[in-house]
Amino acid sequence: MSALLTATCAVPAAGAVLTAALPAGTTGPRRRTTKLVALGVSGVTLALAATAVARFDPDGARYQLTESYSWIRSFGITFSLGVDGIGAVLALLTAVLVPVVMLASWHDADPPSPPARGQEGAASAGQQGAGSAAPDGTFENRRRTQGFFALILAVEAMVIVSFYATDVFLFYVFFEAMLIPMYFLIGGFGDRAGGPESARQRSYAAVKFLLYNLLGGLVMLAAVIGLYVIAQDQGFGTFDLRTLTTAIADGQLVLSGTAEKALFLGFFFAFAVKAPLWPLHTWLPNAMGESTAGTAVLITAVVDKVGTFAMLRFCLGLFPDASKTFAPAIMVLSVIGIIYGALLAIGQKDIKRLVAYASISHFGFIIMGIFALTSQGQSGATLYMVNHGISTAAWMLVAGFLISRRGSRLIADYGGVQKVAPVLAGTFLIGGLATLSLPGLAPFVSEFLVLVGTFTRYPAIGIVATFGIVLAALYALLLYQRTMTGPVKAEVRGMPDLKARELAVVAPLVALTILLGVYPKPLTDIVNPSVDATLSQVHETDPAPAHPVAATSGGEHK
């Protein structure tokens, strides 16, 4: 039994403990040591996650590199890990983005510099707005850097466990546990460009994030317990996902129609909050708006992907008949989310909130692809999770670099940036073009597959969803026009272009966006067998073409 998956989960967890335990201090060398240790741990995690993908055989068993360790024997709970194509790719996405986020957030947790003589009052007011009013030598500021990077590694460890877990209870524990470090990242290390009300707004956003997701988790816990009780009554006293799904598929574990629907809704509600799906989305704009750019990327590109991934693995695998029953209603909610998120993005005055509403629209596409119950739709949805994570990370991180230079999130405070910082403007444009799914960039492939897969089963919904692409072009290009073009505003006239560290952050994301847009085959080869296995669990096949090609003989149509 290989321990590769356990090592991939354990390294960032141990790194979080190590980073938090490093000697405190506000001096530059100590902070730099903390950052380098955390970055090194994330690099090792990336190597392990890449090894898991390299060792995964798309033509082999669905779950590979499996491990199982007894945990709570009396309830049949184990620490069981296994990787399918979808989980392997999403864990690798997480491992790629975490070191990028760390580099982008290199100075986000630095204690505030002491005010110059005669500027104490102004500095104090500014620090209060940033939530950093504590004196430089306090315990809070001496441990600030260690805490920030330890929390990022903790989130990484918990997310990767969620992608690898093959025990329902184990998945639930880490699905909920990741809320704690995210709560502190939002509330304790939020955006410093939020104005004098920033600290209060950050606290509100963090509490709203926690309450929404805790509510979803409590509903899911009731469903998890209900599933165990029903399974135990029929001789399956276990939380092992493979055992349960096999028993359900073979008819050995029978869920009554009412029970299956209730359990499906309990699981789906938690995942729809996490994803988020309209109308359970309202926590996301607050959380992303009040976070640092790096934390916002962790939210939308990493943590939220656990929700959509779990819909594929748990909702469809454990409750196939209920999934088909509720699929039309979920498709309607998804297309509402696509249009609603895009329309609100167009009307935003805040750059970060615009990206947040754009993400709500994108998650509508992902969930629509999942519940179209077609191979194209689900392959597209899985690719969309990856491509959205990469392209939105690039867009948001460049937006964060822009905001850090000007000190404002308001679109109206910018203008003419491309004339003073052309590289920054160029990378921002690429991120925006990827968001609107320009052909040749990664999101186009996934969005095209989702729409094709949707149209074959739900043509009306597919047609309405295409308007989301038009609206995406509006919000992405209008944002670029208002911030980057036109006369150079006085406040941005001296704005510096991207520095070496910032280029190191953006360059790999841009490269992946282009590479996966031109050649997505390495990803599709890995995920397609898992998609086919998921469809077989719900006993669905792709609809036959409405107008099949006529049979031919001798090169002529009969």
Side-chain angles (χ1 to χ4, degrees), residues 220-464:
M220 181 182 170
L221 177 60
V224 168
I225 295 172
L227 176 64
Y228 177 78
V229 170
I230 294 173
Q232 187 181 45
D233 287 343
Q234 299 183 40
F236 294 93
T238 180
F239 286 96
D240 183 72
L241 178 66
R242 290 168 292 175
T243 300
L244 293 173
T245 53
T246 300
I248 291 170
D250 294 343
Q252 298 174 335
L253 174 57
V254 179
L255 301 176
S256 68
T258 301
E260 182 178 357
K261 291 174 184 176
L263 294 175
F264 170 87
L265 290 174
F267 277 74
F268 180 78
F269 180 78
F271 304 152
V273 172
K274 182 87 79 180
L277 175 66
W278 183 92
L280 304 172
H281 66 283
T282 59
W283 62 268
L284 184 64
N286 296 99
M288 289 183 64
E290 300 305 324
S291 300
T292 64
T295 300
V297 169
L298 287 179
I299 294 170
T300 190
V302 175
V303 172
D304 288 355
K305 297 301 186 298
V306 177
T308 49
F309 163 78
M311 292 178 188
L312 279 166
R313 175 169 283 189
F314 295 97
C315 287
L316 300 186
L318 293 171
F319 316 110
D321 292 334
S323 297
K324 290 189 286 188
T325 299
F326 288 107
I330 295 170
M331 296 292 286
V332 171
L333 294 179
S334 299
V335 78
I336 291 174
I338 290 169
I339 304 300
Y340 172 88
L343 286 173
L344 264 66
I346 292 171
Q348 291 304 304
K349 299 179 181 179
D350 182 307
I351 297 175
K352 285 186 176 180
R353 290 179 71 89
L354 186 152
V355 178
Y357 280 108
S359 291
I360 291 169
S361 181
H362 294 150
F363 276 105
F365 277 107
I366 294 171
I367 297 170
M368 186 176 73
I370 291 171
F371 285 92
L373 300 179
T374 61
S375 60
Q376 301 99 325
Q378 292 193 354
S379 292
T382 304
L383 289 178
Y384 214 134
M385 294 183 218
V386 177
N387 295 335
H388 171 264
I390 295 169
S391 61
T392 300
W395 204 28
M396 174 58 84
L397 292 176
V398 177
F401 298 150
L402 178 69
I403 292 167
S404 68
R405 284 158 164 75
R406 174 67 176 83
S408 173
R409 304 198 311 247
L410 297 178
I411 297 172
D413 288 342
Y414 296 88
V417 174
Q418 66 180 9
K419 296 177 182 177
V420 297
V423 177
L424 186 153
T427 53
F428 192 67
L429 178 61
I430 293 173
L433 293 176
T435 296
L436 61 86
S437 298
L438 183 75
L441 300 179
F444 170 77
V445 179
S446 45
E447 198 160 283
F448 177 78
L449 286 172
V450 166
L451 289 172
V452 169
T454 300
F455 188 81
T456 58
R457 198 180 294 278
Y458 300 97
I461 288 178
I463 291 170
V464 174

Side-chain angles (χ1 to χ4, degrees), residues 549-558:
V549 177
T552 61
S553 177
E556 294 181 358
H557 290 287
K558 288 186 177 180

